[in-house]
Amino acid sequence: MSPEQGWDRYKNTFTNIADPGAWTKRITELEALTADQELAESEPGQQSHYTHRLHLAGRTIEGRAVRALCGVFFVPTQDHAARQPCPDCQARFSELPA
Ligand SMILES: [Zn+2]
């Protein structure tokens, strides 16, 4: 399953492929899916990140990624209240001028 959070960005590509073992794990998953002729599903993130509210509603509807205060890219959803807040985002948000 592809994670919905914690991606790195290289130019206009979002990826988590630099994680150790990511290639081997992904290839094994894809081979199994291909053998079963199934489509891959994404894995919901476990944290609730902070981001700028500009364009947030549009990105949520379009399913496009935004950058969190902690630096990762994620696709915003409407069910963020059910997730643990990201500690890095909380720390950075508290340092912002009111
Ligand atoms: Zn965060």
Side-chain angles (χ1 to χ4, degrees), residues 10-42:
Y10 178 72
K11 294 184 179 174
N12 285 321
T13 302
F14 300 93
T15 179
N16 67 337
I17 214 70
D19 293 347
W23 273 115
T24 310
K25 184 166 171 255
R26 188 60 49 83
I27 289 170
T28 305
E29 289 171 353
L30 289 175
E31 284 175 346
L33 287 169
T34 303
D36 296 340
Q37 296 195 330
E38 289 180 5
L39 292 174
E41 292 181 10
S42 63

PDB file of all heavy atoms in Angstrom, residues 10-42:
ATOM      1  N   TYR A  10      10.922  15.667  -4.962  1.00  0.00           N
ATOM      2  CA  TYR A  10      12.048  15.918  -5.852  1.00  0.00           C
ATOM      3  C   TYR A  10      11.485  16.562  -7.101  1.00  0.00           C
ATOM      4  O   TYR A  10      10.753  15.924  -7.854  1.00  0.00           O
ATOM      5  CB  TYR A  10      12.797  14.628  -6.194  1.00  0.00           C
ATOM      6  CG  TYR A  10      13.929  14.864  -7.152  1.00  0.00           C
ATOM      7  CD1 TYR A  10      15.086  15.509  -6.737  1.00  0.00           C
ATOM      8  CD2 TYR A  10      13.812  14.487  -8.480  1.00  0.00           C
ATOM      9  CE1 TYR A  10      16.110  15.760  -7.630  1.00  0.00           C
ATOM     10  CE2 TYR A  10      14.830  14.727  -9.373  1.00  0.00           C
ATOM     11  CZ  TYR A  10      15.976  15.372  -8.944  1.00  0.00           C
ATOM     12  OH  TYR A  10      16.988  15.628  -9.833  1.00  0.00           O
ATOM     13  N   LYS A  11      11.796  17.862  -7.306  1.00  0.00           N
ATOM     14  CA  LYS A  11      11.179  18.643  -8.381  1.00  0.00           C
ATOM     15  C   LYS A  11       9.659  18.529  -8.275  1.00  0.00           C
ATOM     16  O   LYS A  11       9.102  18.906  -7.260  1.00  0.00           O
ATOM     17  CB  LYS A  11      11.734  18.212  -9.735  1.00  0.00           C
ATOM     18  CG  LYS A  11      13.223  18.564  -9.826  1.00  0.00           C
ATOM     19  CD  LYS A  11      13.829  18.253 -11.159  1.00  0.00           C
ATOM     20  CE  LYS A  11      15.308  18.666 -11.159  1.00  0.00           C
ATOM     21  NZ  LYS A  11      15.985  18.253 -12.371  1.00  0.00           N
ATOM     22  N   ASN A  12       8.986  18.003  -9.276  1.00  0.00           N
ATOM     23  CA  ASN A  12       7.529  17.917  -9.186  1.00  0.00           C
ATOM     24  C   ASN A  12       7.045  16.508  -8.886  1.00  0.00           C
ATOM     25  O   ASN A  12       5.902  16.168  -9.142  1.00  0.00           O
ATOM     26  CB  ASN A  12       6.891  18.432 -10.477  1.00  0.00           C
ATOM     27  CG  ASN A  12       6.950  19.938 -10.546  1.00  0.00           C
ATOM     28  OD1 ASN A  12       6.772  20.617  -9.537  1.00  0.00           O
ATOM     29  ND2 ASN A  12       7.236  20.451 -11.715  1.00  0.00           N
ATOM     30  N   THR A  13       7.933  15.676  -8.328  1.00  0.00           N
ATOM     31  CA  THR A  13       7.566  14.305  -8.015  1.00  0.00           C
ATOM     32  C   THR A  13       7.552  14.101  -6.511  1.00  0.00           C
ATOM     33  O   THR A  13       8.475  14.509  -5.817  1.00  0.00           O
ATOM     34  CB  THR A  13       8.583  13.327  -8.649  1.00  0.00           C
ATOM     35  OG1 THR A  13       8.602  13.550 -10.049  1.00  0.00           O
ATOM     36  CG2 THR A  13       8.199  11.888  -8.365  1.00  0.00           C
ATOM     37  N   PHE A  14       6.500  13.477  -5.991  1.00  0.00           N
ATOM     38  CA  PHE A  14       6.401  13.152  -4.576  1.00  0.00           C
ATOM     39  C   PHE A  14       6.741  11.676  -4.413  1.00  0.00           C
ATOM     40  O   PHE A  14       6.199  10.834  -5.097  1.00  0.00           O
ATOM     41  CB  PHE A  14       4.990  13.429  -4.054  1.00  0.00           C
ATOM     42  CG  PHE A  14       4.596  14.866  -4.198  1.00  0.00           C
ATOM     43  CD1 PHE A  14       3.919  15.304  -5.318  1.00  0.00           C
ATOM     44  CD2 PHE A  14       4.927  15.788  -3.225  1.00  0.00           C
ATOM     45  CE1 PHE A  14       3.555  16.630  -5.463  1.00  0.00           C
ATOM     46  CE2 PHE A  14       4.574  17.118  -3.359  1.00  0.00           C
ATOM     47  CZ  PHE A  14       3.888  17.541  -4.472  1.00  0.00           C
ATOM     48  N   THR A  15       7.636  11.353  -3.476  1.00  0.00           N
ATOM     49  CA  THR A  15       8.084   9.978  -3.349  1.00  0.00           C
ATOM     50  C   THR A  15       8.505   9.645  -1.926  1.00  0.00           C
ATOM     51  O   THR A  15       8.899  10.523  -1.168  1.00  0.00           O
ATOM     52  CB  THR A  15       9.273   9.721  -4.299  1.00  0.00           C
ATOM     53  OG1 THR A  15       9.696   8.375  -4.131  1.00  0.00           O
ATOM     54  CG2 THR A  15      10.447  10.637  -3.989  1.00  0.00           C
ATOM     55  N   ASN A  16       8.389   8.394  -1.550  1.00  0.00           N
ATOM     56  CA  ASN A  16       8.981   7.923  -0.299  1.00  0.00           C
ATOM     57  C   ASN A  16       9.959   6.797  -0.613  1.00  0.00           C
ATOM     58  O   ASN A  16      10.292   5.998   0.238  1.00  0.00           O
ATOM     59  CB  ASN A  16       7.899   7.447   0.680  1.00  0.00           C
ATOM     60  CG  ASN A  16       7.199   6.195   0.192  1.00  0.00           C
ATOM     61  OD1 ASN A  16       7.182   5.901  -0.995  1.00  0.00           O
ATOM     62  ND2 ASN A  16       6.609   5.463   1.106  1.00  0.00           N
ATOM     63  N   ILE A  17      10.432   6.771  -1.845  1.00  0.00           N
ATOM     64  CA  ILE A  17      11.231   5.657  -2.338  1.00  0.00           C
ATOM     65  C   ILE A  17      12.632   5.642  -1.719  1.00  0.00           C
ATOM     66  O   ILE A  17      13.325   4.639  -1.780  1.00  0.00           O
ATOM     67  CB  ILE A  17      11.277   5.701  -3.881  1.00  0.00           C
ATOM     68  CG1 ILE A  17      11.319   4.290  -4.433  1.00  0.00           C
ATOM     69  CG2 ILE A  17      12.412   6.551  -4.403  1.00  0.00           C
ATOM     70  CD1 ILE A  17      10.046   3.520  -4.254  1.00  0.00           C
ATOM     71  N   ALA A  18      13.047   6.759  -1.090  1.00  0.00           N
ATOM     72  CA  ALA A  18      14.370   6.797  -0.473  1.00  0.00           C
ATOM     73  C   ALA A  18      14.410   6.069   0.864  1.00  0.00           C
ATOM     74  O   ALA A  18      15.485   5.828   1.403  1.00  0.00           O
ATOM     75  CB  ALA A  18      14.816   8.247  -0.281  1.00  0.00           C
ATOM     76  N   ASP A  19      13.245   5.712   1.417  1.00  0.00           N
ATOM     77  CA  ASP A  19      13.228   4.976   2.683  1.00  0.00           C
ATOM     78  C   ASP A  19      13.931   3.635   2.504  1.00  0.00           C
ATOM     79  O   ASP A  19      13.763   2.978   1.475  1.00  0.00           O
ATOM     80  CB  ASP A  19      11.785   4.722   3.143  1.00  0.00           C
ATOM     81  CG  ASP A  19      11.065   6.004   3.508  1.00  0.00           C
ATOM     82  OD1 ASP A  19      11.748   7.041   3.633  1.00  0.00           O
ATOM     83  OD2 ASP A  19       9.838   5.958   3.659  1.00  0.00           O
ATOM     84  N   PRO A  20      14.714   3.183   3.515  1.00  0.00           N
ATOM     85  CA  PRO A  20      15.407   1.897   3.399  1.00  0.00           C
ATOM     86  C   PRO A  20      14.415   0.753   3.176  1.00  0.00           C
ATOM     87  O   PRO A  20      13.416   0.646   3.881  1.00  0.00           O
ATOM     88  CB  PRO A  20      16.104   1.750   4.757  1.00  0.00           C
ATOM     89  CG  PRO A  20      16.216   3.138   5.291  1.00  0.00           C
ATOM     90  CD  PRO A  20      15.032   3.888   4.755  1.00  0.00           C
ATOM     91  N   GLY A  21      14.673  -0.056   2.164  1.00  0.00           N
ATOM     92  CA  GLY A  21      13.821  -1.210   1.891  1.00  0.00           C
ATOM     93  C   GLY A  21      12.559  -0.897   1.113  1.00  0.00           C
ATOM     94  O   GLY A  21      11.765  -1.792   0.838  1.00  0.00           O
ATOM     95  N   ALA A  22      12.355   0.391   0.771  1.00  0.00           N
ATOM     96  CA  ALA A  22      11.101   0.791   0.116  1.00  0.00           C
ATOM     97  C   ALA A  22      10.952   0.124  -1.256  1.00  0.00           C
ATOM     98  O   ALA A  22       9.876  -0.345  -1.606  1.00  0.00           O
ATOM     99  CB  ALA A  22      11.031   2.301  -0.028  1.00  0.00           C
ATOM    100  N   TRP A  23      12.054   0.066  -2.021  1.00  0.00           N
ATOM    101  CA  TRP A  23      11.992  -0.535  -3.357  1.00  0.00           C
ATOM    102  C   TRP A  23      11.584  -2.002  -3.282  1.00  0.00           C
ATOM    103  O   TRP A  23      10.672  -2.444  -3.966  1.00  0.00           O
ATOM    104  CB  TRP A  23      13.354  -0.444  -4.057  1.00  0.00           C
ATOM    105  CG  TRP A  23      13.595   0.823  -4.802  1.00  0.00           C
ATOM    106  CD1 TRP A  23      14.535   1.772  -4.518  1.00  0.00           C
ATOM    107  CD2 TRP A  23      12.908   1.290  -5.969  1.00  0.00           C
ATOM    108  NE1 TRP A  23      14.460   2.797  -5.419  1.00  0.00           N
ATOM    109  CE2 TRP A  23      13.481   2.532  -6.322  1.00  0.00           C
ATOM    110  CE3 TRP A  23      11.863   0.780  -6.732  1.00  0.00           C
ATOM    111  CZ2 TRP A  23      13.038   3.260  -7.419  1.00  0.00           C
ATOM    112  CZ3 TRP A  23      11.419   1.521  -7.832  1.00  0.00           C
ATOM    113  CH2 TRP A  23      12.013   2.738  -8.155  1.00  0.00           C
ATOM    114  N   THR A  24      12.288  -2.761  -2.422  1.00  0.00           N
ATOM    115  CA  THR A  24      12.035  -4.200  -2.318  1.00  0.00           C
ATOM    116  C   THR A  24      10.600  -4.462  -1.880  1.00  0.00           C
ATOM    117  O   THR A  24       9.903  -5.306  -2.451  1.00  0.00           O
ATOM    118  CB  THR A  24      13.003  -4.823  -1.285  1.00  0.00           C
ATOM    119  OG1 THR A  24      14.325  -4.403  -1.603  1.00  0.00           O
ATOM    120  CG2 THR A  24      12.932  -6.328  -1.305  1.00  0.00           C
ATOM    121  N   LYS A  25      10.141  -3.685  -0.886  1.00  0.00           N
ATOM    122  CA  LYS A  25       8.789  -3.860  -0.359  1.00  0.00           C
ATOM    123  C   LYS A  25       7.762  -3.543  -1.445  1.00  0.00           C
ATOM    124  O   LYS A  25       6.805  -4.290  -1.651  1.00  0.00           O
ATOM    125  CB  LYS A  25       8.615  -2.914   0.838  1.00  0.00           C
ATOM    126  CG  LYS A  25       7.295  -3.040   1.559  1.00  0.00           C
ATOM    127  CD  LYS A  25       7.380  -2.312   2.908  1.00  0.00           C
ATOM    128  CE  LYS A  25       5.992  -2.233   3.545  1.00  0.00           C
ATOM    129  NZ  LYS A  25       5.413  -0.900   3.446  1.00  0.00           N
ATOM    130  N   ARG A  26       7.988  -2.444  -2.168  1.00  0.00           N
ATOM    131  CA  ARG A  26       7.025  -2.025  -3.184  1.00  0.00           C
ATOM    132  C   ARG A  26       6.960  -3.024  -4.332  1.00  0.00           C
ATOM    133  O   ARG A  26       5.880  -3.345  -4.831  1.00  0.00           O
ATOM    134  CB  ARG A  26       7.403  -0.632  -3.701  1.00  0.00           C
ATOM    135  CG  ARG A  26       6.375   0.002  -4.623  1.00  0.00           C
ATOM    136  CD  ARG A  26       5.018   0.185  -3.958  1.00  0.00           C
ATOM    137  NE  ARG A  26       5.161   0.810  -2.655  1.00  0.00           N
ATOM    138  CZ  ARG A  26       5.267   2.113  -2.458  1.00  0.00           C
ATOM    139  NH1 ARG A  26       5.248   2.926  -3.473  1.00  0.00           N
ATOM    140  NH2 ARG A  26       5.379   2.591  -1.243  1.00  0.00           N
ATOM    141  N   ILE A  27       8.129  -3.527  -4.747  1.00  0.00           N
ATOM    142  CA  ILE A  27       8.154  -4.493  -5.857  1.00  0.00           C
ATOM    143  C   ILE A  27       7.413  -5.765  -5.464  1.00  0.00           C
ATOM    144  O   ILE A  27       6.616  -6.307  -6.251  1.00  0.00           O
ATOM    145  CB  ILE A  27       9.621  -4.788  -6.270  1.00  0.00           C
ATOM    146  CG1 ILE A  27      10.203  -3.547  -6.968  1.00  0.00           C
ATOM    147  CG2 ILE A  27       9.704  -6.011  -7.169  1.00  0.00           C
ATOM    148  CD1 ILE A  27      11.685  -3.602  -7.207  1.00  0.00           C
ATOM    149  N   THR A  28       7.632  -6.242  -4.230  1.00  0.00           N
ATOM    150  CA  THR A  28       6.932  -7.446  -3.754  1.00  0.00           C
ATOM    151  C   THR A  28       5.426  -7.221  -3.761  1.00  0.00           C
ATOM    152  O   THR A  28       4.652  -8.087  -4.199  1.00  0.00           O
ATOM    153  CB  THR A  28       7.413  -7.793  -2.327  1.00  0.00           C
ATOM    154  OG1 THR A  28       8.840  -7.922  -2.344  1.00  0.00           O
ATOM    155  CG2 THR A  28       6.795  -9.091  -1.847  1.00  0.00           C
ATOM    156  N   GLU A  29       5.008  -6.039  -3.280  1.00  0.00           N
ATOM    157  CA  GLU A  29       3.571  -5.721  -3.256  1.00  0.00           C
ATOM    158  C   GLU A  29       2.990  -5.671  -4.664  1.00  0.00           C
ATOM    159  O   GLU A  29       1.903  -6.201  -4.912  1.00  0.00           O
ATOM    160  CB  GLU A  29       3.342  -4.366  -2.567  1.00  0.00           C
ATOM    161  CG  GLU A  29       3.584  -4.389  -1.070  1.00  0.00           C
ATOM    162  CD  GLU A  29       3.560  -2.993  -0.461  1.00  0.00           C
ATOM    163  OE1 GLU A  29       3.491  -1.996  -1.228  1.00  0.00           O
ATOM    164  OE2 GLU A  29       3.611  -2.902   0.766  1.00  0.00           O
ATOM    165  N   LEU A  30       3.724  -5.030  -5.572  1.00  0.00           N
ATOM    166  CA  LEU A  30       3.225  -4.893  -6.943  1.00  0.00           C
ATOM    167  C   LEU A  30       3.147  -6.238  -7.656  1.00  0.00           C
ATOM    168  O   LEU A  30       2.216  -6.493  -8.423  1.00  0.00           O
ATOM    169  CB  LEU A  30       4.102  -3.916  -7.730  1.00  0.00           C
ATOM    170  CG  LEU A  30       3.959  -2.448  -7.325  1.00  0.00           C
ATOM    171  CD1 LEU A  30       4.957  -1.588  -8.076  1.00  0.00           C
ATOM    172  CD2 LEU A  30       2.542  -1.961  -7.569  1.00  0.00           C
ATOM    173  N   GLU A  31       4.129  -7.116  -7.385  1.00  0.00           N
ATOM    174  CA  GLU A  31       4.097  -8.440  -7.999  1.00  0.00           C
ATOM    175  C   GLU A  31       2.871  -9.218  -7.529  1.00  0.00           C
ATOM    176  O   GLU A  31       2.201  -9.881  -8.324  1.00  0.00           O
ATOM    177  CB  GLU A  31       5.382  -9.203  -7.661  1.00  0.00           C
ATOM    178  CG  GLU A  31       6.571  -8.721  -8.486  1.00  0.00           C
ATOM    179  CD  GLU A  31       7.872  -9.385  -8.070  1.00  0.00           C
ATOM    180  OE1 GLU A  31       7.919 -10.015  -6.994  1.00  0.00           O
ATOM    181  OE2 GLU A  31       8.850  -9.261  -8.836  1.00  0.00           O
ATOM    182  N   ALA A  32       2.554  -9.114  -6.227  1.00  0.00           N
ATOM    183  CA  ALA A  32       1.386  -9.811  -5.678  1.00  0.00           C
ATOM    184  C   ALA A  32       0.098  -9.250  -6.279  1.00  0.00           C
ATOM    185  O   ALA A  32      -0.804 -10.003  -6.646  1.00  0.00           O
ATOM    186  CB  ALA A  32       1.368  -9.695  -4.159  1.00  0.00           C
ATOM    187  N   LEU A  33       0.034  -7.912  -6.397  1.00  0.00           N
ATOM    188  CA  LEU A  33      -1.162  -7.283  -6.967  1.00  0.00           C
ATOM    189  C   LEU A  33      -1.335  -7.669  -8.428  1.00  0.00           C
ATOM    190  O   LEU A  33      -2.444  -7.939  -8.889  1.00  0.00           O
ATOM    191  CB  LEU A  33      -1.068  -5.754  -6.839  1.00  0.00           C
ATOM    192  CG  LEU A  33      -1.249  -5.189  -5.430  1.00  0.00           C
ATOM    193  CD1 LEU A  33      -0.864  -3.720  -5.398  1.00  0.00           C
ATOM    194  CD2 LEU A  33      -2.686  -5.361  -4.966  1.00  0.00           C
ATOM    195  N   THR A  34      -0.213  -7.699  -9.161  1.00  0.00           N
ATOM    196  CA  THR A  34      -0.272  -8.070 -10.573  1.00  0.00           C
ATOM    197  C   THR A  34      -0.742  -9.514 -10.729  1.00  0.00           C
ATOM    198  O   THR A  34      -1.589  -9.803 -11.580  1.00  0.00           O
ATOM    199  CB  THR A  34       1.110  -7.897 -11.228  1.00  0.00           C
ATOM    200  OG1 THR A  34       1.513  -6.538 -11.040  1.00  0.00           O
ATOM    201  CG2 THR A  34       1.056  -8.196 -12.698  1.00  0.00           C
ATOM    202  N   ALA A  35      -0.234 -10.396  -9.870  1.00  0.00           N
ATOM    203  CA  ALA A  35      -0.614 -11.804  -9.945  1.00  0.00           C
ATOM    204  C   ALA A  35      -2.108 -11.972  -9.681  1.00  0.00           C
ATOM    205  O   ALA A  35      -2.777 -12.796 -10.298  1.00  0.00           O
ATOM    206  CB  ALA A  35       0.202 -12.617  -8.937  1.00  0.00           C
ATOM    207  N   ASP A  36      -2.638 -11.137  -8.747  1.00  0.00           N
ATOM    208  CA  ASP A  36      -4.066 -11.223  -8.405  1.00  0.00           C
ATOM    209  C   ASP A  36      -4.922 -10.341  -9.300  1.00  0.00           C
ATOM    210  O   ASP A  36      -6.148 -10.322  -9.169  1.00  0.00           O
ATOM    211  CB  ASP A  36      -4.284 -10.804  -6.944  1.00  0.00           C
ATOM    212  CG  ASP A  36      -3.602 -11.756  -5.978  1.00  0.00           C
ATOM    213  OD1 ASP A  36      -3.302 -12.900  -6.397  1.00  0.00           O
ATOM    214  OD2 ASP A  36      -3.373 -11.370  -4.825  1.00  0.00           O
ATOM    215  N   GLN A  37      -4.281  -9.573 -10.190  1.00  0.00           N
ATOM    216  CA  GLN A  37      -4.975  -8.624 -11.063  1.00  0.00           C
ATOM    217  C   GLN A  37      -5.836  -7.650 -10.260  1.00  0.00           C
ATOM    218  O   GLN A  37      -7.017  -7.442 -10.538  1.00  0.00           O
ATOM    219  CB  GLN A  37      -5.815  -9.366 -12.108  1.00  0.00           C
ATOM    220  CG  GLN A  37      -4.956 -10.190 -13.051  1.00  0.00           C
ATOM    221  CD  GLN A  37      -5.706 -10.640 -14.294  1.00  0.00           C
ATOM    222  OE1 GLN A  37      -6.912 -10.842 -14.262  1.00  0.00           O
ATOM    223  NE2 GLN A  37      -4.976 -10.783 -15.394  1.00  0.00           N
ATOM    224  N   GLU A  38      -5.228  -7.084  -9.189  1.00  0.00           N
ATOM    225  CA  GLU A  38      -5.932  -6.110  -8.346  1.00  0.00           C
ATOM    226  C   GLU A  38      -5.256  -4.752  -8.452  1.00  0.00           C
ATOM    227  O   GLU A  38      -4.088  -4.650  -8.831  1.00  0.00           O
ATOM    228  CB  GLU A  38      -5.902  -6.566  -6.880  1.00  0.00           C
ATOM    229  CG  GLU A  38      -6.784  -7.783  -6.615  1.00  0.00           C
ATOM    230  CD  GLU A  38      -6.734  -8.211  -5.159  1.00  0.00           C
ATOM    231  OE1 GLU A  38      -6.097  -7.494  -4.355  1.00  0.00           O
ATOM    232  OE2 GLU A  38      -7.315  -9.254  -4.845  1.00  0.00           O
ATOM    233  N   LEU A  39      -5.996  -3.687  -8.082  1.00  0.00           N
ATOM    234  CA  LEU A  39      -5.457  -2.336  -8.060  1.00  0.00           C
ATOM    235  C   LEU A  39      -4.870  -2.045  -6.679  1.00  0.00           C
ATOM    236  O   LEU A  39      -5.376  -2.532  -5.669  1.00  0.00           O
ATOM    237  CB  LEU A  39      -6.563  -1.310  -8.361  1.00  0.00           C
ATOM    238  CG  LEU A  39      -7.115  -1.323  -9.782  1.00  0.00           C
ATOM    239  CD1 LEU A  39      -8.294  -0.354  -9.882  1.00  0.00           C
ATOM    240  CD2 LEU A  39      -6.033  -0.925 -10.777  1.00  0.00           C
ATOM    241  N   ALA A  40      -3.797  -1.242  -6.646  1.00  0.00           N
ATOM    242  CA  ALA A  40      -3.189  -0.851  -5.380  1.00  0.00           C
ATOM    243  C   ALA A  40      -4.072   0.174  -4.676  1.00  0.00           C
ATOM    244  O   ALA A  40      -4.681   1.028  -5.323  1.00  0.00           O
ATOM    245  CB  ALA A  40      -1.805  -0.263  -5.625  1.00  0.00           C
ATOM    246  N   GLU A  41      -4.138   0.078  -3.344  1.00  0.00           N
ATOM    247  CA  GLU A  41      -4.879   1.061  -2.549  1.00  0.00           C
ATOM    248  C   GLU A  41      -3.891   1.841  -1.704  1.00  0.00           C
ATOM    249  O   GLU A  41      -2.818   1.356  -1.387  1.00  0.00           O
ATOM    250  CB  GLU A  41      -5.893   0.359  -1.644  1.00  0.00           C
ATOM    251  CG  GLU A  41      -7.027  -0.294  -2.419  1.00  0.00           C
ATOM    252  CD  GLU A  41      -8.035  -0.961  -1.497  1.00  0.00           C
ATOM    253  OE1 GLU A  41      -7.940  -0.751  -0.282  1.00  0.00           O
ATOM    254  OE2 GLU A  41      -8.880  -1.696  -2.018  1.00  0.00           O
ATOM    255  N   SER A  42      -4.261   3.064  -1.346  1.00  0.00           N
ATOM    256  CA  SER A  42      -3.367   3.876  -0.524  1.00  0.00           C
ATOM    257  C   SER A  42      -3.630   3.618   0.953  1.00  0.00           C
ATOM    258  O   SER A  42      -4.704   3.173   1.350  1.00  0.00           O
ATOM    259  CB  SER A  42      -3.538   5.359  -0.846  1.00  0.00           C
ATOM    260  OG  SER A  42      -4.842   5.779  -0.534  1.00  0.00           O
TER     261      SER A  42
END
